[in-house]
Amino acid sequence: MQFVPRLPTILLLGVVYVLYLLIGGAVFWTLEGEHVGENLQTLREEKSRVLRKYTCLDQDSLEEVAQLVRSASKYGLSLKSNSTADGFWKFTSSAVFAATVVTTIGYGNISPSTMYGQIFTVFFALIGIPLNVVVLNKIGKYMLNIEKKFCEFVAKKTNRKKCVRVLIHSVSFVLLAVLYFVAPVLIFQQYEGWTHAEAFYYCFITLSTIGFGDYVADDNPDRHYPEWYGSIMAAWIFFGLAWLAVLINHSIDLLEHFNEYLKQKREGNADTTDATQEKDSTKGQ
């Protein structure tokens, strides 16, 4: 019986969730569908042009070249200079790959190709993903606790608790947003050659652990990266994930509090209605 009253809320959330996905699909379909069609037409024309220009190439030869390009991309080989991406499948890149597994970012730019590597990835992820969630939550709570203690310290000095909390939380949010989004955008623009929009897009896709893999930093074999670049990247991803986890938890708490507020308001209105009806009934008697 306790479960029955909750059923409408669950159904409502399910309907909202499905509608949200369908609306998102419709928007992506509208924004990207026509663009893909144009690109496919351009590629067909470019393919015909290449075959006409290089008469020694037939369909089979073109497929061989395409396979070579795909393989070179998979293993980080530059077709311009025969060089590979710095540290590709060496210890540093392997450690970064391990991090993308446990954080569920999964760019897809590199992946294990041996049977033993694939099997190890499965067991490594089974243990590493829960461990990563625990560590990030602990780090996020620690960061939040430092902020709360600083708020309490300043509030005691000023005797304006609510104003101080709002101000410090706002300043903290702005500073961390600059640290994890604005500053990386400038760095990626310089060392990756991306636009501001592409760099910001990469930052969000990475820190939200979506990880499409269409943009991957420190992965271009035709670019030279400084030695500190990889370490800064790792630190940015780790603490950025912790910070974003705090923001997501805050958002969930706000939605739950808002839901509780609406529930209490409905119950209060129902009690008021019952009391009014009871009062009117007494007067009638």
Side-chain angles (χ1 to χ4, degrees):
M1 293 298 295
Q2 293 178 354
F3 175 75
V4 174
R6 298 182 182 179
L7 188 58
T9 303
I10 294 174
L11 290 176
L12 178 61
L13 286 174
V15 170
V16 171
Y17 180 74
V18 172
L19 284 176
Y20 186 76
L21 294 180
L22 293 176
I23 292 171
V27 173
F28 285 126
W29 180 34
T30 303
L31 294 176
E32 300 293 334
E34 184 177 352
H35 183 64
V36 168
E38 294 174 354
N39 285 341
L40 287 175
Q41 182 60 31
T42 303
L43 285 173
R44 291 189 184 100
E45 294 174 357
E46 185 66 16
K47 174 186 173 183
S48 299
R49 187 191 66 81
V50 169
L51 289 175
R52 288 195 304 269
K53 182 177 180 180
Y54 301 100
T55 55
C56 58
L57 281 176
D58 55 11
Q59 184 63 38
D60 293 336
S61 301
L62 187 62
E63 290 178 2
E64 289 182 13
V65 173
Q67 181 60 43
L68 173 63
V69 172
R70 285 194 294 267
S71 299
S73 176
K74 180 178 179 180
Y75 293 102
L77 176 66
S78 171
L79 295 177
K80 293 181 180 180
S81 60
N82 270 346
S83 61
T84 57
D86 291 340
F88 195 87
W89 272 130
K90 296 180 182 177
F91 176 74
T92 51
S93 63
S94 300
V96 172
F97 170 75
T100 62
V101 170
V102 299
T103 57
T104 69
I105 294 175
Y107 288 126
N109 60 317
I110 60 174
S111 58
S113 56
T114 64
M115 181 186 68
Y116 293 113
Q118 292 169 351
I119 293 173
F120 177 74
T121 301
V122 173
F123 290 100
F124 182 75
L126 285 174
I127 299 173
I129 292 174
L131 177 63
N132 177 73
V133 171
V134 171
V135 171
L136 288 181
N137 282 335
K138 289 291 184 181
I139 296 295
K141 289 179 180 179
Y142 184 73
M143 293 166 62
L144 188 60
N145 190 39
I146 292 175
E147 186 177 316
K148 285 182 177 179
K149 287 187 176 181
F150 184 69
C151 288
E152 293 174 357
F153 173 77
V154 177
K156 289 180 180 179
K157 298 292 183 181
T158 58
N159 294 323
R160 294 185 178 181
K161 192 172 183 180
K162 290 185 178 180
C163 294
V164 167
R165 281 185 176 180
V166 172
L167 178 62
I168 291 180
H169 282 310
S170 301
V171 172
S172 174
F173 173 79
V174 171
L175 290 177
L176 290 176
V178 170
L179 179 63
Y180 293 119
F181 279 94
V182 178
V185 164
L186 299 177
I187 293 175
F188 294 142
Q189 185 186 21
Q190 178 179 354
Y191 289 100
E192 302 292 343
W194 298 336
T195 64
H196 284 90
E198 290 171 339
F200 182 82
Y201 165 80
Y202 168 75
C203 289
F204 181 80
I205 293 300
T206 295
L207 295 185
S208 60
T209 71
I210 297 174
F212 289 128
D214 47 353
Y215 292 91
V216 181
D218 198 17
D219 189 60
N220 191 342
D222 295 320
R223 285 186 172 272
H224 175 71
Y225 300 103
E227 294 182 0
W228 51 265
Y229 192 69
S231 301
I232 291 294
M233 279 284 302
W236 167 70
I237 291 176
F238 180 78
F239 289 103
L241 286 173
W243 173 67
L244 201 62
V246 171
L247 288 184
I248 292 172
N249 288 333
H250 272 313
S251 300
I252 293 172
D253 289 339
L254 288 174
L255 289 175
E256 289 179 349
H257 286 313
F258 183 67
N259 185 40
E260 288 294 328
Y261 169 76
L262 292 178
K263 184 178 179 181
Q264 291 174 2
K265 192 173 181 180
R266 286 196 300 267
E267 292 176 352
N269 291 336
D271 293 340
T272 302
T273 303
D274 292 340
T276 303
Q277 291 176 353
E278 184 178 351
K279 188 176 180 180
D280 292 341
S281 177
T282 304
K283 285 182 178 179
Q285 294 177 356

